[in-house]
Amino acid sequence: MLAAILVLSQAAVPVYAEDGVKETMPSGTALSLLETVTDLFVRSNEKTTAAVAVAYVNEGRTIFDKAYGMADMEHGTEANADTVFEWGSCTKLLVWTSVMQLVEQGKLDLNADIREYLPGGFLSKLKYDDPITLLNLMHHTAGFQDRITDMYYNSETDLLELGEALDRFEPGQVYRPGETVAYSNYGAALAGYIVELQSGKPFYTYVKEHIFDVLGMERTAIHPAQHDNPAVAEARNSIRGYTTGLKYMPENRGFINLYPAGAAIGTAGDAAKFLAALMPAGGGAGPLFQKEATLQEMLSPSLNYDGTSIPRIAHGFFINQYAVPALEHGGNTVGFSSRFVFDPASGFGMVVMTNQNGEEVYNTGLVEKIFGASISAAQAYTGQMPEVAEVEGVYLRARRMVSGYAKILTMTNFLTVTKVNSQFYKDQNGVSFIQTAPYEYLPVGHSGVQVFSQEAGKVVKTSNTYGDYYKVSNFTAHIATISLFVLGIGLLYNVVALLGELIKWIFRKMKTPAKPQMGPSFTKHHLWMNAAGVIVTANLAALVYRTINYTAYSAILIHLILNILYVVLAAAYVILLALKLRRADGGRFRKTVYILTGLTGLLFAVLIVGWDMYY
């Protein structure tokens, strides 16, 4: 069964020569071919590559450290071993390591309620009375909804102290602690703040003194503006961020407010030192811990997939299934992507860093080339398998905005399961999955695992390495699309209505004398409402654009206020229409137009209120 092969202690055994030297990488390819395989992979993808740095670790030491491509394509700056890259969420591994160091010293308890370590009243938006533990933060099961705004700032002057930032931008708690894996930057940053409070030092100072300095990571920083290492700040000026299509991103340097969640920046060689310290040659505690037991505890599974014995997370380190089980973390910033992957059982690991946002060729493709696909580790299951039809459907990611104006943006992240035959399905990306044990699937040719959970005999949730997804109806899956369609139809009506009134005005000016009005004129109210409909649509578009470009919440308040004003205006128009329609000017057609304007206004108001576009 899949559960058996994912236990770290039962990982695939690497091949060793007679002198005890490992001969193969996790995929089974000869270790002597490591550089050749990497060079050929880069060469075959160089047309879509800006810069990429790759480092490999084996048995406690770095055995390969090389950079390829252009750090700055516009200025012809080539990447090299001294080029720094942004870690993104791989920074969280520094948080979990720091937490375990303090656990070892008796200053933190993984199972204690974190409110014991925080100032009184610090968490004010908790929905449940259940305690939140450091393990919950490590597992991303504290129940926090996602946040979009105030993660990045364009200016260093906008940064707040960590405690103030966490207090000001606390997200709502939407899941009961311990029940749902919903990836949380806030939760990781909160753990970093707890380290700060218990150590008596700013988190960036603690990491520098207890990790970077200890390991000789002289080309790495974690302060959001690199105040802990000015040389890294200077080196950052020599590299730019790009899209996957190699388009330069002018605003590619963001200052991360919740910096423990993703602000580290440094060379791949330095990152390799960190991985090597987690897998010391010959065993032992390594340089970061006093006791070997602490290191072993940190790297051992602490959370399984629901209802299974399949390891999922090891104290904040995600467990992913390749040809062998490996610990890993991926990271993305505005213009960079990275991935750290290592197998403690064999002592082999790799670091991949790129200056492209959302990059997958190296962060997924090269990693799978070196570590192998999960299907190669599958073992035969002799029992009866359930039909794929039981898991078919649409699943909404748990990591999302459940309330607030940005929730519509996170209602588009679905995982779809489409039956191919009795044992295979395809997801929304066209990747095939094969059932290897009841409700347990492996992707064909890729890494990972997909586990489905049941309640009352029905599949209600699916889980993979980085999060949970809940099964939803087809209507829920299309509600955002339906809303945008309604908004588009309403905008079209408002534009046509305004143009119609403009044409009528032109023709009326051409005629003399003008016909007298019959009854009180309602045209001006109608025109104002149509114009407001066009304006609010443009306002919503601006709101979405600024949000996805990491604008601060304070900067988008004006858009939310305009939305509120529109709702008030729509309500006023409908009330006025009800009072004056019978005596309004024009015939049946004219009054029908007035009514349609009112209905459009009501629909827009319902969308604004229904999607929380006012806060």
Side-chain angles (χ1 to χ4, degrees):
M1 291 179 63
L2 180 60
I5 64 170
L6 285 177
V7 178
L8 291 178
S9 61
Q10 297 178 354
V13 179
V15 177
Y16 292 88
E18 291 184 1
D19 59 1
V21 177
K22 194 183 301 108
E23 290 186 328
T24 62
M25 56 188 91
S27 64
T29 304
L31 200 60
S32 60
L33 297 176
L34 192 61
E35 183 170 8
T36 301
V37 169
T38 305
D39 287 349
L40 288 175
F41 190 92
V42 174
R43 192 177 306 164
S44 64
N45 293 284
E46 59 187 1
K47 290 184 178 180
T48 59
T49 303
V52 56
V54 184
Y56 297 108
V57 171
N58 190 38
E59 298 179 348
R61 63 186 181 90
T62 301
I63 59 173
F64 180 90
D65 179 14
K66 191 173 181 179
Y68 306 82
M70 306 299 293
D72 185 339
M73 300 174 68
E74 285 69 28
H75 295 90
T77 305
E78 295 184 359
N80 56 46
D82 291 324
T83 301
V84 299
F85 294 80
E86 295 178 1
W87 287 29
S89 287
C90 293
T91 306
K92 294 179 177 66
L93 300 183
L94 300 172
V95 175
W96 312 134
T97 301
S98 300
V99 167
M100 292 304 295
Q101 287 178 333
L102 294 186
V103 168
E104 183 177 65
Q105 297 171 28
K107 295 180 179 179
L108 290 176
D109 182 344
L110 294 178
N111 294 298
D113 191 327
I114 60 172
R115 283 170 287 193
E116 295 180 14
Y117 304 118
L118 295 169
F122 190 82
L123 295 176
S124 61
K125 297 182 180 179
L126 298 183
K127 179 180 179 180
Y128 300 96
D129 293 330
D130 306 50
I132 297 174
T133 67
L134 280 166
L135 275 176
N136 289 142
L137 299 184
M138 289 175 158
H139 298 158
H140 300 273
T141 57
F144 297 123
Q145 72 169 337
D146 204 15
R147 277 198 67 95
I148 295 179
T149 55
D150 295 291
M151 185 66 184
Y152 294 96
Y153 292 129
N154 290 325
S155 172
E156 178 186 347
T157 59
D158 292 326
L159 290 171
L160 302 173
E161 292 294 328
L162 179 57
E164 183 182 355
L166 287 163
D167 189 41
R168 182 180 298 187
F169 303 116
E170 178 190 353
Q173 187 186 44
V174 294
Y175 305 111
R176 187 179 294 279
E179 291 188 354
T180 301
V181 176
Y183 189 91
S184 176
N185 286 309
Y186 184 87
L190 186 60
Y193 183 53
I194 291 172
V195 170
E196 180 172 297
L197 292 174
Q198 292 304 300
S199 67
K201 301 176 180 180
F203 181 70
Y204 61 86
T205 300
Y206 178 90
V207 170
K208 184 179 187 306
E209 293 179 356
H210 295 272
I211 298 179
F212 295 163
D213 289 349
V214 171
L215 301 180
M217 297 171 66
E218 299 176 352
R219 300 284 289 173
T220 304
I222 191 174
H223 185 278
Q226 296 83 54
H227 289 173
D228 53 335
N229 195 328
V232 173
E234 180 63 27
R236 176 60 178 83
N237 295 327
S238 300
I239 186 168
R240 293 185 170 192
Y242 299 87
T243 66
T244 53
L246 298 181
K247 183 179 179 181
Y248 169 59
M249 304 176 69
E251 299 292 340
N252 70 86
R253 187 169 189 174
F255 295 90
I256 302 177
N257 220 5
L258 304 182
Y259 72 90
I265 176 173
T267 64
D270 264 12
K273 293 178 181 179
F274 174 64
L275 287 192
L278 302 181
M279 303 181 292
L288 296 179
F289 297 98
Q290 299 299 315
K291 303 174 184 176
E292 182 179 1
T294 307
L295 175 61
Q296 294 304 316
E297 179 185 4
M298 183 174 75
L299 302 184
S300 64
S302 54
L303 180 71
N304 292 340
Y305 285 91
D306 291 352
T308 76
S309 57
I310 304 173
R312 185 176 187 181
I313 299 175
H315 299 88
F317 292 70
F318 289 102
I319 303 173
N320 199 5
Q321 181 62 32
Y322 295 91
V324 297
L327 303 186
E328 72 168 29
H329 212 296
N332 280 283
T333 62
V334 179
F336 293 78
S337 304
S338 63
R339 181 162 295 208
F340 298 178
V341 188
F342 64 106
D343 171 25
S346 66
F348 183 88
M350 68 182 295
V351 172
V352 177
M353 293 178 163
T354 68
N355 59 337
Q356 292 173 265
N357 175 269
E359 200 282 329
E360 293 290 340
V361 172
Y362 297 99
N363 285 281
T364 297
L366 180 58
V367 171
E368 290 177 346
K369 187 79 171 178
I370 302 301
F371 274 82
S374 60
I375 198 68
S376 62
Q379 296 179 354
Y381 177 79
T382 57
Q384 185 175 358
M385 299 281 201
E387 282 286 326
V388 170
E390 291 188 38
V391 304
E392 193 171 25
V394 183
Y395 299 79
L396 176 62
R397 188 165 71 165
R399 179 192 177 182
R400 62 189 181 91
M401 293 282 292
V402 176
S403 62
Y405 79 92
K407 72 178 184 180
I408 190 172
L409 299 178
T410 54
M411 281 293 290
T412 57
N413 198 324
F414 295 96
L415 184 152
T416 61
V417 175
T418 305
K419 177 181 176 181
V420 175
N421 58 40
S422 62
Q423 298 304 318
F424 279 85
Y425 76 78
K426 284 189 176 182
D427 67 8
Q428 70 280 4
N429 299 315
V431 177
S432 295
F433 287 74
I434 182 173
Q435 190 170 200
T436 55
Y439 304 105
E440 300 168 10
Y441 290 77
L442 292 178
V444 179
H446 296 280
S447 62
V449 58
Q450 199 75 42
V451 178
F452 294 84
S453 304
Q454 295 177 294
E455 286 183 10
K458 292 185 178 181
V459 173
V460 296
K461 183 175 75 171
T462 185
S463 306
N464 55 32
T465 306
Y466 284 87
D468 291 343
Y469 292 74
Y470 285 98
K471 197 169 189 179
V472 297
S473 66
N474 286 328
F475 174 77
T476 300
H478 293 96
I479 190 170
T481 302
I482 293 170
S483 298
L484 291 175
F485 177 77
V486 170
L487 186 66
I489 293 297
L491 174 63
L492 179 62
Y493 169 78
N494 284 317
V495 171
V496 170
L498 287 172
L499 289 175
E501 291 297 334
L502 176 62
I503 293 171
K504 282 185 63 177
W505 180 80
I506 292 173
F507 275 101
R508 195 160 52 240
K509 284 293 184 180
M510 295 172 63
K511 291 183 179 180
T512 55
K515 291 183 179 179
Q517 296 280 352
M518 298 299 294
S521 174
F522 204 78
T523 301
K524 61 182 180 180
H525 306 301
H526 162 67
L527 287 173
W528 275 111
M529 200 65 219
N530 293 143
V534 174
I535 293 171
V536 79
T537 304
N539 181 62
L540 291 172
L543 176 61
V544 170
Y545 176 80
R546 299 188 74 182
T547 298
I548 63 178
N549 283 280
Y550 307 107
T551 304
Y553 183 77
S554 59
I556 54 90
L557 278 175
I558 182 62
H559 300 291
L560 303 181
I561 293 171
L562 287 175
N563 288 341
I564 295 173
L565 292 176
Y566 180 85
V567 172
V568 173
L569 181 64
Y573 178 88
V574 171
I575 293 172
L576 196 63
L577 183 65
L579 294 175
K580 295 189 175 184
L581 180 63
R582 183 174 296 180
R583 296 182 292 113
D585 59 304
R588 181 176 297 177
F589 175 79
R590 188 70 174 166
K591 292 179 180 180
T592 299
V593 170
Y594 294 157
I595 292 172
L596 287 175
T597 296
L599 289 175
T600 301
L602 279 178
L603 283 173
F604 279 17
V606 167
L607 290 178
I608 289 171
V609 174
W611 286 110
D612 300 343
M613 292 282 188
Y614 55 93
Y615 75 94

